[in-house]
């Protein structure tokens, strides 16, 4: 298992930007596909973006495509989520997750992500 700690959340106005970071420790970071998920109050946790072990392949939810960018630095054991043009509907707790499936994609089930961070709150005001 890998341990994950998110940071970078906060309060931002609509149209603004935030960059979330997730620091990993424990097992070999490059052995994991990584993902970001989010959960708004009263809603189920939903997929936001995933990135393969190499960083070569990335996939996004339609709701964030063109606005969010996922990236990773295997030398620093980190994964990032750059969020631009934020909207009030992006308000949620954002979670970083790791999967032993190195080639994660939009078909990877949430249950395939075995390690989760504690989450970081993102609030977008209108």
């Amino acid at each position: 298992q890998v341990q994950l700690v998110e940071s970078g959340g906060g309060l931002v106005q609509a149209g603004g930007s935030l960059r979330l970071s997730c620091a990993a420790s424990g097992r070999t970071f490059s052995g994991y596909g990584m993902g970001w998920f989010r959960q708004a109050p009263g809603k189920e946790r939903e997929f936001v973006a995933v990135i393969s072990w190499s960083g070569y392949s990335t996939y996004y939810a339609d709701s964030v495509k063109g606005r969010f960018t996922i990236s990773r630095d295997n030398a620093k054991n980190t994964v990032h989520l750059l969020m631009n043009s934020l909207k009030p509907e992006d308000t949620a707790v954002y979670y970083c997750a790791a999967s032993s499936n190195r080639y994660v994609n939009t078909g990877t089930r949430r249950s395939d992500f075995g390690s989760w961070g504690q989450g970081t709150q993102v609030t977008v005001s209108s």
Side-chain angles (χ1 to χ4, degrees):
Q1 291 254 344
V2 62
Q3 290 75 48
L4 304 172
V5 178
E6 303 98 334
S7 61
L11 173 65
V12 64
Q13 287 189 332
S17 299
L18 279 176
R19 184 177 186 242
L20 305 183
S21 296
C22 175
S25 61
R27 306 291 293 271
T28 303
F29 181 65
S30 62
Y32 292 87
M34 299 298 295
W36 286 96
F37 294 76
R38 67 187 182 187
Q39 188 167 16
K43 295 187 177 181
E44 289 193 358
R45 193 169 300 187
E46 65 176 5
F47 159 78
V48 175
V50 291
I51 187 167
S52 64
W53 72 276
S54 64
Y56 183 77
S57 298
T58 58
Y59 303 90
Y60 299 90
D62 288 343
S63 59
V64 307
K65 201 171 294 184
R67 299 188 298 122
F68 290 11
T69 303
I70 188 171
S71 62
R72 66 188 295 162
D73 185 339
N74 286 343
K76 296 182 178 180
N77 291 357
T78 56
V79 61
H80 303 285
L81 185 69
L82 176 61
M83 307 184 294
N84 294 323
S85 302
L86 283 161
K87 304 175 181 180
E89 52 263 44
D90 294 318
T91 295
V93 177
Y94 283 71
Y95 297 91
C96 173
S99 172
S100 58
N101 178 2
R102 300 171 79 191
Y103 300 95
V104 289
N105 53 61
T106 54
T108 304
R109 296 170 297 179
R110 196 172 69 193
S111 60
D112 289 335
F113 289 84
S115 298
W116 293 81
Q118 83 289 349
T120 185
Q121 176 70 46
V122 171
T123 303
V124 184
S125 63
S126 57

